[in-house]
């Protein structure tokens, strides 16, 4: 598939998707989402890729959904056409995804970032769900994911006022994992992704699945799920290799088996 709205690269065991609609501050439209999903599916099926990064430009990760594309939509056409169905596919990826965010991360852009597993932000990053100012509300999971990240009170503040939150407040609130200087953003994300990709893929995928389960179930059920997956790891070759390497004081050679 020839991409018009994204740039796709591979850095060792790391896949990199750069949103590339500079004339629209990387506003998300159906064409971009389709291309991004295709690229992510390629990385998911590539055994040599262990982690993916999604990033934008220095000015904008993504300044929201493309309002021009949405403005004339009707309810029936949107419902029958399954509008937004493909937008949440990233949340179904099994391999970890890092959002490297600089500049504006608004509306659908923030919803996209929250579907990733880790958000690393530049000091210039600005986050908001400003849909209320357009006479709508978030529709790709924003009202559900944001409270899980930062709590009900602050989520209500952002969603009902549409105000922007800077990178420092986002990190204090638990939305962002780390904040770095703008010039170090991609290097920091690549280093984190490379470290994740150096470990056993099945173990990393199980760990991601278990953390995500914590968001959707009780503590008791989550702990049972964790225990079941933890015990299953003793059936893998990578568990044997990891522990033998630790005892022998050498670097493990994980084979993803």
């Amino acid at each position: 598939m020839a991409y018009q709205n994204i740039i796709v690269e591979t850095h060792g065991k790391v896949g990199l998707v750069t949103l590339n609609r500079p004339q629209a501050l990387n506003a998300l439209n159906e064409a971009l989402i389709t291309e991004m999903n295709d690229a992510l599916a390629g990385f998911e099926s590539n055994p040599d890729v262990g982690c993916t990064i999604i990033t934008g430009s220095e000015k904008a990760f993504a300044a929201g959904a493309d309002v021009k594309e949405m403005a004339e939509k009707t309810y029936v056409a949107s419902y029958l056409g399954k509008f937004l169905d493909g937008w949440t596919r990233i949340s179904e990826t099994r391999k970890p995804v890092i959002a490297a965010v600089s500049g504006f991360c608004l509306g659908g852009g923030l919803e996209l970032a929250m579907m990733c597993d880790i958000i690393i932000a530049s000091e210039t990053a600005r986050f908001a769900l400003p849909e209320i100012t357009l006479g709508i509300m978030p529709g790709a999971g924003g009202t559900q994911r944001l409270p899980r990240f930062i709590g009900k009170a602050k989520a209500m503040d952002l969603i009902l006022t549409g105000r922007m939150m800077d990178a420092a407040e986002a990190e204090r609130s638990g939305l962002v994992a780390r904040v770095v200087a703008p010039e170090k953003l991609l290097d920091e994300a690549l280093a984190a992704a490379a470290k994740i990709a150096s470990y056993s893929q099945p173990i990393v995928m199980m760990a991601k699945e278990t953390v995500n389960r914590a968001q959707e179930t009780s503590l008791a059920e989550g702990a049972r799920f964790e225990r079941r997956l933890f015990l299953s790891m003793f059936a893998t070759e990578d568990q044997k290799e990891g522990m033998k390497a630790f005892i022998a004081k050498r670097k493990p050679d994980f084979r993803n088996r």
Side-chain angles (χ1 to χ4, degrees), residues 18-243:
T18 303
L19 309 183
N20 188 38
R21 294 189 72 211
Q23 74 284 2
L25 293 178
N26 292 333
L28 306 175
N29 60 10
E30 290 290 342
L32 185 151
I33 294 296
T34 298
E35 292 180 7
M36 184 185 69
N37 286 339
D38 182 79
L40 289 172
F43 288 139
E44 279 280 280
S45 62
N46 185 345
D48 295 326
V49 172
C51 188
T52 300
I53 297 169
I54 298 177
T55 193
S57 67
E58 185 176 341
K59 191 171 184 179
F61 175 76
D66 193 325
V67 176
K68 292 180 180 178
E69 186 178 75
M70 291 193 301
E72 299 303 321
K73 284 187 179 293
T74 65
Y75 169 72
V76 172
S78 300
Y79 181 79
L80 294 178
K82 297 183 178 180
F83 178 48
L84 294 183
D85 273 18
W87 293 53
T88 58
R89 201 161 296 153
I90 185 175
S91 64
E92 300 168 9
T93 59
R94 300 179 71 199
K95 295 177 183 178
V97 181
I98 295 174
V101 176
S102 187
F104 296 116
C105 183
L106 314 178
L110 177 51
E111 290 176 307
L112 172 62
M114 289 192 292
M115 285 182 248
C116 298
D117 302 299
I118 300 170
I119 300 176
I120 299 176
S122 156
E123 293 167 346
T124 67
R126 297 294 182 269
F127 302 90
L129 290 176
E131 286 87 345
I132 199 80
T133 67
L134 301 176
I136 57 172
M137 70 176 190
T143 65
Q144 303 305 298
R145 289 189 174 88
L146 192 61
R148 286 170 165 80
F149 277 100
I150 67 177
K152 177 184 174 182
K154 192 170 282 288
M156 282 287 195
D157 177 18
L158 283 140
I159 291 167
L160 297 184
T161 69
R163 76 173 179 87
M164 283 193 196
M165 178 167 61
D166 64 20
E169 182 181 359
E171 185 180 29
R172 289 196 308 270
S173 301
L175 177 64
V176 166
R178 41 182 126 161
V179 176
V180 300
E183 66 274 13
K184 295 181 179 178
L185 176 64
L186 190 54
D187 287 342
E188 187 87 3
L190 285 168
K195 177 168 280 194
I196 292 169
S198 72
Y199 301 134
S200 166
Q201 278 189 35
I203 302 303
V204 166
M205 290 160 70
M206 286 186 223
K208 168 177 170 169
E209 184 180 3
T210 305
V211 173
N212 284 336
R213 179 60 65 97
Q215 301 293 312
E216 300 176 2
T217 191
S218 68
L219 174 60
E221 177 53 35
R224 281 193 290 269
F225 184 82
E226 176 192 74
R227 182 66 56 85
R228 286 192 294 269
L229 282 189
F230 174 75
L231 295 177
S232 75
M233 292 173 181
F234 287 83
T236 68
E237 293 180 19
D238 285 341
Q239 173 268 326
K240 300 295 185 292
E241 167 61 15
M243 292 191 174

